Amino acid sequence: MSTERAEPVWGFARSLVIKAAIAEVWEHLADPARLSRWWCPPPTVQIDFEPRAGSHYEERYNDDSYDYVLTGEITAVDELRHLVIRRRTNGRFGPTDRIEIVLEPHGRDTKVSITHTFADIPVDRRGEARDFFSDGWDFSLELLRRNVLKSR
């Protein structure tokens, strides 16, 4: 396996427009119980944090065949706009990752963008990381859309 490394941080982004106001979408980011409903296929994940920079973050996943706990911290919060989570990972794609969620006006709707970055990931692991996470983020964004619209 190659250990060639190019840039120290690498990542990719996904986005979706939701026909709802930013405040409606924000409720599903800033509330750990609501975030847990769309982050992974429910009810496999339970997330705990406070929506403030410096807060401890914990993600507990269990689907009866695989379970893990990831910890980290909330590194940035700009209410109604921006949430950033840094997680200590299991090491498959590096020791940490960073997930940035940005809400932007899109006419009367809200554009949700998720950027998932990995620190110091080997070049030959990047495609595998994208394959592993990108479909999951697309699925999760669709769950977010459904949850926001259902909560009206």
Side-chain angles (χ1 to χ4, degrees):
M1 178 168 87
S2 168
T3 58
E4 176 190 351
R5 298 179 190 277
E7 300 160 13
V9 176
W10 171 87
F12 63 94
R14 293 300 215 228
S15 64
L16 177 77
V17 174
I18 299 175
K19 292 186 180 300
I22 285 177
E24 291 177 88
V25 179
W26 178 256
E27 293 173 0
H28 294 266
L29 272 64
D31 176 357
R34 288 184 178 187
L35 183 67
S36 296
R37 291 183 195 133
W38 65 268
W39 194 256
C40 287
T44 58
V45 70
Q46 297 298 312
I47 297 172
D48 187 37
F49 68 95
E50 292 179 30
R52 62 174 174 74
S55 170
H56 176 76
Y57 173 88
E58 184 173 276
E59 179 179 320
R60 294 176 305 280
Y61 179 97
N62 185 334
D63 69 358
D64 293 329
S65 64
Y66 185 71
D67 68 74
Y68 67 80
V69 176
L70 297 180
T71 60
E73 71 177 305
I74 304 299
T75 60
V77 176
D78 181 3
E79 190 171 343
L80 300 177
R81 299 280 183 236
H82 187 234
L83 177 69
V84 180
I85 303 163
R86 184 184 56 80
R87 305 183 302 179
R88 287 176 284 287
T89 67
N90 63 11
R92 180 174 177 186
F93 301 115
T96 63
D97 66 5
R98 179 179 181 270
I99 300 161
E100 178 179 24
I101 306 169
V102 175
L103 304 182
E104 300 173 284
H106 187 81
R108 298 173 75 184
D109 303 329
T110 301
K111 180 180 179 184
V112 181
S113 299
I114 296 177
T115 303
H116 194 163
T117 56
F118 304 84
D120 205 28
I121 185 172
V123 171
D124 62 349
R125 301 298 307 270
R126 293 176 180 183
E128 180 185 354
R130 183 188 314 271
D131 292 347
F132 184 80
F133 286 106
S134 64
D135 287 345
W137 283 125
D138 289 342
F139 180 79
S140 291
L141 283 167
E142 178 59 24
L143 282 177
L144 171 61
R145 185 188 69 75
R146 290 179 189 177
N147 284 324
V148 169
L149 296 178
K150 187 170 42 172
S151 68
R152 292 179 144 179

